[in-house]
Amino acid sequence: MAKYEEVQNGVIFPVGEKNEAFAQYFVGQSYLKTLVADPNVNVGVGNVTFEPGCRNNWHIHRGGFQLLLVTGGEGWYQEEGKPAQFLKAGDVIVTHDGVKHWHGAAKDSWFEHIAITAGKPEWLEPVTDEEYNKLKHGECD
């Protein structure tokens, strides 16, 4: 049984639909509920939910940034060349323009965050199973 199964129903905001629009950039299943998509506002805000083991590909935000507000479950965030950071509800991540990174759920837990994003993502290669399976809570947090 996966940890934090209640996250699959949404913690604060609804879980949204299967994230089909970005499925090619994820390993595993994610869900997306767009919270702000106003053409007069230059940031997008979405509630992203990850099934256990789901993570997005390495990517870079060009001409902007990304803020992650973790609302539930357990997951990971990693910038290129740095150790992965274990994430839990209440954690906040700031990703600056041009920084290669990825984020996603722990192997055995649902995970949810609000993503506040400006600029355009450049999607890169997937996080390999070998890289991902090396992550262990307690060693990298």
Side-chain angles (χ1 to χ4, degrees):
M1 183 165 139
K3 291 192 282 185
Y4 297 99
E5 285 191 348
E6 67 277 7
V7 170
Q8 68 185 301
N9 299 315
V11 177
I12 298 169
F13 297 100
V15 73
E17 301 298 321
K18 285 186 176 182
N19 189 3
E20 302 297 350
F22 294 92
Q24 64 188 345
Y25 307 119
F26 284 73
V27 172
Q29 184 63 59
S30 67
Y31 303 83
L32 176 64
K33 173 64 176 170
T34 300
L35 302 175
V36 177
D38 183 329
N40 297 317
V41 177
N42 67 354
V43 296
V45 181
N47 184 38
V48 185
T49 305
F50 301 78
E51 289 187 359
C54 177
R55 69 255 187 203
N56 55 29
N57 289 7
W58 288 97
H59 59 286
I60 298 170
H61 297 281
R62 301 285 185 192
F65 56 85
Q66 187 171 59
L67 309 175
L68 303 177
L69 310 176
V70 180
T71 55
E74 294 177 349
W76 295 99
Y77 171 84
Q78 185 174 18
E79 292 182 358
E80 185 176 45
K82 295 183 179 178
Q85 297 175 53
F86 181 76
L87 300 177
K88 61 191 180 320
D91 288 339
V92 175
I93 295 291
V94 177
T95 305
H96 295 277
D97 188 22
V99 174
K100 184 176 177 181
H101 68 287
W102 69 271
H103 34 105
K107 286 183 272 237
D108 62 348
S109 178
W110 284 77
F111 180 62
E112 187 171 78
H113 63 55
I114 304 298
I116 302 167
T117 309
K120 184 169 173 47
E122 177 186 343
W123 291 100
L124 303 166
E125 72 277 6
V127 176
T128 67
D129 287 343
E130 182 181 21
E131 290 172 296
Y132 182 77
N133 289 330
K134 286 182 189 173
L135 302 175
K136 292 194 183 358
H137 177 47
E139 294 177 12
C140 298
D141 60 351

